[in-house]
Amino acid sequence: MHDVVIVGAGPVGLFLACELGLAGCSVLVLEREPEPRSPWRSFPLGMRGLSAGSVEAFSRRGMLEPLLTASGVDERPGADEPAPPRSAGHFAGTPLDPADVDLARLPYRLPGPAMDGIMTSLDAVEEVLAERAGKLGVEIRRGAAVTAVTQTGNTVAVRAGEREYRARWLVGCDGGRSAVRRLAGFDFLGTEPQLTGYLALATLADPGQLSPGFTLTPAGMYLTMSGPGHLGVLDFDGGAYDRSRPPTREHLEAVLRRVSGTDVTLTGLHFASSFTDRAMQTSTYRRGRTLLAGDAAHIHSPLGGQGLNLGIGDAVNLGWKLAATIRGDAPEGLLDTYTSERHPVGAKVLDWSRAQVAVMRPDPHSRAIQAVVRDLLATRDGTTYAFKRTSGTSLRYELGSEHPLVGHNAPDFRLVDGIRLGDLLQDGRGVALDFSADGRLRDAVRHHGDRIRYAAGPAVDDLGFGAVLVRPDGIVVWAGDRVPDRGSFGDAVTRWFTGGEPPRAGAR
Ligand SMILES: Cc1cc2nc3c(=O)[nH]c(=O)nc-3n(C[C@H](O)[C@H](O)[C@H](O)COP(=O)(O)OP(=O)(O)OC[C@H]3O[C@@H](n4cnc5c(N)ncnc54)[C@H](O)[C@@H]3O)c2cc1C
């Protein structure tokens, strides 16, 4: 029997498997597809944007370099000095100028190796994670489609083909059509689609007929991407297209003609996939011994590209909490903070995608709102607001403290001896970072070395703090000022790492 069976070897399942493997849990991943690679997961159809927050998650587990190599990224996503973001993305097709992001409003963004997002592909992400998972002793069984789930007492049984697997915990990371979600009786609530979207690699008789970039038209929107023949189309058909079959050349050409208002001709169609803006979320991410993460817990349109980032955030949040629960040293209620912290983050992303669809609708009211939104986004405040919503830099969980840093993703503090917080988090323990010269908080964590790493010394930039206590997922749970209060620091250690009062949680 394994500690955990994870269903789905997509990016979220594999990231979670690495987190649990790092913490010493025995993990089995069951994956339906017999082979790891497919055209849907490789460039160009599998191309995905990873936010700075996700890039940092890879960096904090020592996987950034392999990820950059697998993704073919030459330009490092980091900097040694404060630097503006290289890209700020778009909102509903309105590009955001990174020069307009107000850095003063990102006070916790310190220079480091992971300050920016990157473009990658699903198969590059999965290759890096599967290799790391293997090194951590995770077993990945492919060609194993899960068809039944039964919870009895302290065990969950999972059927795939002729075989049954037993585990203490089950996590469904099996994507938007999750079998685990259905079999374990989770609800899935939200809004039905307004549109069908298409992504395709096609050959056009006359590419000059289509405008470059995002083009809103009276019938929808189309997008021509940097590579020749890479197209996106949004057709506001109420999600009527039957997605059980891949789009044909004739269908796509007809949709593109209608949406673009041109007589564009597709002479060839190499790949095409479709999606909708259906936005759904389970109301809890845990039922007994079964948990959900990634698209299994929430789906929304890919506009603005946030699903993968959201799912990686789930995996990072869940991994250490589930591992502590399995080890038996989790404070009471810790595992339930997975839902209370991550559900509001997911709900906000669903709303962000709904907001984009609302302003892109081809009707006069939506177009009027879009003109207003475009003007607002062209301001420094508007660009900064949108960047904070999508880059992962504004994430803050409600942890019951008014301290501005508590609940935030920790800044990548660097000690003057060159060690970064990101380096200290590599083995998946919490970190107490004490900027005092005399190491005054050392005693409070002396007996917790298996769960909390302690490092002391002056920081290059301590942002005015005296010390911080950081969870394994990089979230600050306690921050002290110049002369840290040992008592409240000890309370935070107890509360998050060794039991005591249940942590209160939610997200702002
Ligand atoms: C066109 C498009 C563009 C996108 N762009 C971005 C972007 O730029 N940035 C971003 O953050 N997100 C983006 N997304 C969203 C992102 O791809 C998903 O959110 C992400 O892949 C979810 O990862 P996952 O591991 O939860 O699920 P998946 O990637 O769907 O993986 C699920 C895995 O589970 C397996 N599985 C399914 N059922 C079973 C079963 N019964 N038994 C065993 N295994 C099973 C599947 O084979 C698969 O390997 C985009 C999505 C689309 C469609």
Side-chain angles (χ1 to χ4, degrees), residues 39-168:
W40 312 108
R41 302 185 91 76
S42 321
F43 185 82
L45 293 177
M47 190 168 80
R48 299 290 184 267
L50 279 187
S51 67
S54 297
V55 170
E56 184 158 59
F58 277 87
S59 175
R60 284 173 170 169
R61 297 296 188 250
M63 293 189 284
L64 181 54
E65 281 304 319
L67 178 68
L68 297 178
T69 305
S71 311
V73 172
D74 297 328
E75 212 181 340
R76 307 282 106 174
D80 294 331
E81 300 294 330
R86 288 182 206 142
S87 160
H90 72 92
F91 179 85
T94 301
L96 302 166
D97 184 349
D100 279 342
V101 174
D102 182 357
L103 295 184
R105 304 256 298 278
L106 306 172
Y108 303 138
R109 185 172 173 271
L110 288 176
M115 294 176 76
D116 265 308
I118 60 164
M119 290 313 292
T120 181
S121 63
L122 285 173
D123 63 359
V125 171
E126 289 168 4
E127 177 190 313
V128 171
L129 291 171
E131 189 181 332
R132 170 59 64 92
K135 286 184 181 152
L136 292 167
V138 171
E139 190 186 339
I140 303 174
R141 193 154 296 178
R142 297 189 182 273
V146 167
T147 51
V149 168
T150 320
Q151 285 194 51
T152 34
N154 291 338
T155 310
V156 190
V158 175
R159 176 159 290 280
E162 295 302 305
R163 292 199 57 176
E164 187 173 86
Y165 303 90
R166 289 182 173 274
R168 297 168 68 191

Side-chain angles (χ1 to χ4, degrees), residues 7-13 30-33 41 45 47-50 119 122 126 144-147 173-180 199 273-275 293-296 300 302 304-311:
V7 182
V12 176
L30 299 174
E31 166 57 46
R32 180 183 59 197
E33 300 301 323
R41 302 185 91 76
L45 293 177
M47 190 168 80
R48 299 290 184 267
L50 279 187
M119 290 313 292
L122 285 173
E126 289 168 4
V146 167
T147 51
C173 300
D174 49 342
R177 297 178 185 178
S178 170
V180 173
L199 278 183
S273 67
S274 63
F275 59 86
D295 279 13
H300 56 88
Q306 293 196 74
L308 174 57
N309 296 304
L310 187 59

Side-chain angles (χ1 to χ4, degrees), residues 25-382:
C25 302
S26 67
V27 183
L28 171 67
V29 181
L30 299 174
E31 166 57 46
R32 180 183 59 197
E33 300 301 323
E35 297 298 329
R37 286 177 173 267
S38 87
W40 312 108
R41 302 185 91 76
S42 321
F43 185 82
L45 293 177
M47 190 168 80
R48 299 290 184 267
L50 279 187
S51 67
S54 297
V55 170
E56 184 158 59
F58 277 87
S59 175
R60 284 173 170 169
R61 297 296 188 250
M63 293 189 284
L64 181 54
E65 281 304 319
L67 178 68
L68 297 178
T69 305
S71 311
V73 172
D74 297 328
E75 212 181 340
R76 307 282 106 174
D80 294 331
E81 300 294 330
R86 288 182 206 142
S87 160
H90 72 92
F91 179 85
T94 301
L96 302 166
D97 184 349
D100 279 342
V101 174
D102 182 357
L103 295 184
R105 304 256 298 278
L106 306 172
Y108 303 138
R109 185 172 173 271
L110 288 176
M115 294 176 76
D116 265 308
I118 60 164
M119 290 313 292
T120 181
S121 63
L122 285 173
D123 63 359
V125 171
E126 289 168 4
E127 177 190 313
V128 171
L129 291 171
E131 189 181 332
R132 170 59 64 92
K135 286 184 181 152
L136 292 167
V138 171
E139 190 186 339
I140 303 174
R141 193 154 296 178
R142 297 189 182 273
V146 167
T147 51
V149 168
T150 320
Q151 285 194 51
T152 34
N154 291 338
T155 310
V156 190
V158 175
R159 176 159 290 280
E162 295 302 305
R163 292 199 57 176
E164 187 173 86
Y165 303 90
R166 289 182 173 274
R168 297 168 68 191
W169 295 89
L170 168 67
V171 189
C173 300
D174 49 342
R177 297 178 185 178
S178 170
V180 173
R181 184 179 70 225
R182 178 172 42 81
L183 295 166
F186 286 87
D187 58 11
F188 207 40
L189 310 170
T191 47
E192 293 299 335
Q194 310 227 341
L195 60 84
T196 301
Y198 300 89
L199 278 183
L201 178 58
T203 308
L204 283 78
D206 180 4
Q209 285 181 294
L210 299 178
S211 311
F214 288 95
T215 305
L216 282 169
T217 72
M221 192 223 56
Y222 69 87
L223 164 68
T224 55
M225 290 174 250
S226 45
H230 295 169
L231 298 169
V233 191
L234 297 187
D235 182 15
F236 283 79
D237 63 350
Y241 174 67
D242 174 6
R243 294 180 58 236
S244 61
R245 57 203 160 91
T248 60
R249 187 196 65 76
E250 291 76 15
H251 175 75
L252 199 64
E253 184 180 86
V255 172
L256 189 54
R257 283 183 173 188
R258 181 160 41 76
V259 169
S260 66
T262 69
D263 60 355
V264 62
T265 298
L266 304 186
T267 53
L269 182 61
H270 311 294
F271 294 118
S273 67
S274 63
F275 59 86
T276 75
D277 62 322
R278 197 164 174 254
M280 300 272 171
Q281 192 180 19
T282 55
S283 54
T284 177
Y285 290 4
R286 175 185 175 192
R287 274 175 67 87
R289 292 188 162 260
T290 303
L291 297 123
L292 299 176
D295 279 13
H298 38 68
I299 55 164
H300 56 88
S301 87
L303 290 167
Q306 293 196 74
L308 174 57
N309 296 304
L310 187 59
I312 288 174
D314 292 345
V316 171
N317 188 286
L318 174 59
W320 72 280
K321 294 175 180 175
L322 185 53
T325 305
I326 289 165
R327 276 197 313 265
D329 57 22
E332 179 70 27
L334 182 69
L335 193 56
D336 287 327
T337 67
Y338 169 56
T339 293
S340 57
E341 290 180 0
R342 292 304 298 172
H343 189 278
V345 179
K348 278 182 111 169
V349 170
L350 262 62
D351 274 348
W352 190 251
S353 87
R354 288 184 184 114
Q356 294 189 78
V357 172
V359 299
M360 290 167 110
R361 263 192 312 242
D363 64 66
H365 296 88
S366 298
R367 288 299 147 89
I369 296 173
Q370 184 172 75
V372 175
V373 170
R374 188 172 284 175
D375 284 348
L376 291 174
L377 288 176
T379 65
R380 208 162 164 71
D381 278 353

